[in-house]
Amino acid sequence: MVAILIITALLQGIPIAPQAAGTVSGVVKDAEGKPAAGVRVSAMTRQDPTQESGAVVLASIAETDQDGRYTIENIPPGQYYIVAGSIDRPTYYPGTQDRAGAKSIQITPGSRISGFDFSVLDTTRLIFPSLRGAMFVRVDLRVVAEPGSRL
């Protein structure tokens, strides 16, 4: 009975004890070598290449500060890629958009790994090169719909 309760608790997402989790930290820079502030950085599970389904599983997520520094905490033991940027166009450590060129790391209980510094590609400039130096304006909108109407 106790075993069933433990398995049920694990399946419901009860957090891993801090001493059983690992931490990864580093600095993310943009393509010009400047600190990349406000960038999502995560530990993405690395599956067996023969079983990779293309599904993305993020074990832990952090955001870079104004100096591009990040610390991903509470990463369960296992194999991971460190990934920065958007989910649809990620940059994998050490600075590639190709998962095959990414380096994976092994997280062990209580591990603290630092120095995972890399640069993310500025995808805005790759997709829209004419936007370099463009000014953006915030526009607030108010949408009003009649009862029963669809947006």
Side-chain angles (χ1 to χ4, degrees):
M1 181 66 171
V2 173
I4 292 173
L5 291 175
I6 292 172
I7 292 171
T8 302
L10 290 173
L11 292 176
Q12 290 182 0
I14 293 177
I16 292 178
Q19 66 272 16
T23 301
V24 174
S25 62
V27 176
V28 175
K29 296 185 178 183
D30 65 16
E32 296 172 353
K34 297 177 184 171
V39 174
R40 180 192 56 85
V41 184
S42 59
M44 184 178 87
T45 57
R46 181 183 182 275
Q47 301 168 341
D48 180 344
T50 62
Q51 297 177 1
E52 287 199 46
S53 64
V56 174
V57 179
L58 304 178
S60 190
I61 300 173
E63 185 173 310
T64 59
D65 65 11
Q66 68 274 6
D67 297 320
R69 293 183 305 241
Y70 69 91
T71 300
I72 309 170
E73 299 176 320
N74 299 320
I75 307 170
Q79 288 277 323
Y80 294 92
Y81 294 116
I82 302 303
V83 184
S86 65
I87 291 175
D88 62 333
R89 294 190 58 106
T91 298
Y92 299 92
Y93 175 83
T96 178
Q97 286 192 310
D98 179 18
R99 192 183 304 184
K103 291 185 180 180
S104 65
I105 59 169
Q106 177 70 41
I107 298 294
T108 57
S111 62
R112 295 180 128 349
I113 304 171
S114 61
F116 266 72
D117 305 343
F118 61 110
S119 295
V120 292
L121 296 177
D122 188 349
T123 56
T124 303
R125 290 190 189 144
L126 294 175
I127 297 170
F128 303 109
S130 63
L131 292 180
R132 186 177 192 134
M135 291 184 61
F136 292 91
V137 177
R138 178 181 168 180
V139 177
D140 293 321
L141 297 175
R142 180 173 175 227
V143 177
V144 179
E146 303 268 335
S149 63
R150 294 181 70 182
L151 293 176

